[in-house]
Amino acid sequence: MNSIVDNITREDIISEIQLLLNADIAHKKVVILVEGLDDIKFIRGMCFNIDNILVIQSYSGKLGVIDIMQNYTSEKRVISILDKDYCNKQGGEKIFYYDYCCLEMMLISSEDSFENIFKEYIYLESLSSIEFKEYLLNQLKCFSLLRKINEEENLGIEFYRISINDLYKNNKINIEDFKDQVNKRNKEILINNKDIETRLDNEYQKKMDMVQLLEITNGHDFCEMFASVSRLHKRRGVSKNIIESTLRCSYRDSDFYKTKLFKELRDYENRNKIEMFGKLKEIGI
């Protein structure tokens, strides 16, 4: 853990933003507020003009970002990029969201990027990278649907206490085993809320395509699932953190150019005459 980041306050962030804005006589620089360190690493590795932007990590995740943004509703040089998770987009034109559920799912959606990590960590000649991705998404379907229901109904389920690795047996995650673990770790919440269990069962039975699964799957769950499968195919498996890091490293500018997020940021940059991406016009973008 980074003790300096851990101790940053709301007031520290506002002071840092004001220092940059006051020194920016040309009104060209941009502050980008993000939820965490992984977001900062992603932005630093992409086509952003690093000399012209300041990326700041929130003092309290998504809620902290939205709180800070309320102080800069009319300041075009302060924007944010957030995980969409399971909420409707909120906050106006200056709050942007990654494609699909979160940063990791946007990276995973790139076929070329995902194929690279598939070839690096998985040894399965019987499946293509696309088939493997769909397989993992479907194995996590019960997790993803309950996360969505949990957010919508404000149930307070603690997913961090439920092990994907322990549940993955005989090449699958059984929904009944999953529900048992949810109940054991969360005071029998599904037993005491039969309507929630029925909703989960009904939605689980519905077929979902790749895009629908990308929209509801938590990226950290996906990377943990990937790591669990990799341990079956290598003498020494890889961790979730390594999968996430490799995803960021394998994701290219050309992948990012295809996203809704890039198009929205580029449009905002052009409309407001600020400089986030440097000289992309020189390469026809």
Side-chain angles (χ1 to χ4, degrees):
M1 295 182 68
N2 188 326
S3 60
I4 296 176
V5 171
D6 292 340
N7 292 323
I8 286 179
T9 66
R10 179 180 188 276
E11 290 69 30
D12 292 332
I13 293 174
I14 290 175
S15 295
E16 190 173 7
I17 293 172
Q18 285 305 129
L19 280 174
L20 181 136
L21 295 180
N22 293 340
D24 179 28
I25 298 173
H27 281 225
K28 294 287 188 180
K29 293 186 179 294
V30 182
V31 175
I32 304 178
L33 294 168
V34 296
E35 296 181 52
L37 184 58
D38 288 349
D39 303 288
I40 294 176
K41 292 176 181 178
F42 168 73
I43 289 172
R44 286 177 175 171
M46 285 293 99
C47 53
F48 290 89
N49 182 353
I50 297 301
D51 294 331
N52 216 53
I53 65 173
L54 174 64
V55 188
I56 300 179
Q57 180 178 339
S58 169
Y59 68 93
S60 183
K62 179 184 289 186
L63 293 179
V65 171
I66 293 173
D67 173 44
I68 295 290
M69 288 298 294
Q70 291 174 353
N71 290 268
Y72 297 98
T73 55
S74 60
E75 176 51 72
K76 67 181 183 181
R77 293 171 293 167
V78 180
I79 67 170
S80 65
I81 302 175
L82 300 174
D83 290 338
K84 185 169 58 175
D85 297 320
Y86 306 103
C87 68
N88 293 321
K89 293 183 178 182
Q90 55 183 312
E93 70 161 0
K94 286 163 19 74
I95 295 182
F96 298 87
Y97 292 87
Y98 295 112
D99 290 28
Y100 305 110
C101 189
C102 57
L103 167 61
E104 290 78 17
M105 297 317 294
M106 185 178 81
L107 305 184
I108 288 160
S109 71
S110 164
E111 292 183 12
D112 291 340
S113 178
F114 186 76
E115 185 172 18
N116 289 335
I117 69 165
F118 173 76
K119 289 178 178 178
E120 180 70 20
Y121 297 121
I122 301 295
Y123 303 96
L124 283 174
E125 295 184 0
S126 59
L127 291 178
S128 68
S129 61
I130 294 176
E131 290 170 331
F132 181 67
K133 184 194 303 184
E134 189 168 13
Y135 166 75
L136 295 185
L137 291 169
N138 276 294
Q139 292 308 308
L140 288 167
K141 189 175 174 182
C142 53
F143 271 86
S144 305
L145 288 170
L146 190 58
R147 279 189 181 277
K148 182 174 182 290
I149 294 169
N150 180 61
E151 185 77 16
E152 293 171 350
E153 303 294 337
N154 195 27
L155 299 173
I157 295 174
E158 295 180 342
F159 286 89
Y160 73 90
R161 303 179 67 190
I162 304 167
S163 170
I164 289 172
N165 190 58
D166 290 346
L167 283 169
Y168 184 61
K169 300 173 183 177
N170 300 318
N171 296 322
K172 67 178 182 179
I173 291 178
N174 182 283
I175 188 172
E176 297 303 324
D177 293 342
F178 169 68
K179 289 191 292 185
D180 286 344
Q181 285 299 309
V182 171
N183 283 320
K184 287 178 182 177
R185 308 297 182 186
N186 293 274
K187 299 179 180 179
E188 299 187 334
I189 191 166
L190 297 179
I191 293 174
N192 296 324
N193 293 272
K194 284 299 182 182
D195 56 328
I196 298 297
E197 182 177 12
T198 299
R199 179 180 169 188
L200 172 62
D201 290 338
N202 289 341
E203 293 189 18
Y204 185 78
Q205 294 302 318
K206 297 176 183 176
K207 184 172 178 57
M208 301 179 74
D209 61 27
M210 177 84 77
V211 171
Q212 290 172 314
L213 291 168
L214 288 168
E215 289 284 3
I216 66 168
T217 304
N218 176 281
H220 299 300
D221 287 350
F222 186 94
C223 292
E224 183 59 52
M225 183 74 193
F226 191 115
S228 293
V229 176
S230 79
R231 296 183 191 111
L232 301 177
H233 297 274
K234 295 186 70 172
R235 186 171 299 174
R236 294 179 63 188
V238 293
S239 69
K240 172 179 73 71
N241 291 340
I242 290 176
I243 297 298
E244 292 174 358
S245 177
T246 307
L247 269 173
R248 290 192 299 272
C249 292
S250 67
Y251 196 78
R252 302 165 301 179
D253 287 349
S254 57
D255 299 312
F256 188 44
Y257 297 153
K258 299 173 186 175
T259 65
K260 293 179 183 178
L261 174 61
F262 173 76
K263 293 178 176 65
E264 290 172 357
L265 289 170
R266 190 70 166 139
D267 288 345
Y268 183 87
E269 177 188 45
N270 291 331
R271 286 199 316 271
N272 290 283
K273 296 180 171 54
I274 53 177
E275 295 180 2
M276 279 189 283
F277 294 107
K279 301 178 180 180
L280 292 185
K281 288 182 181 179
E282 294 181 3
I283 58 175
I285 295 173

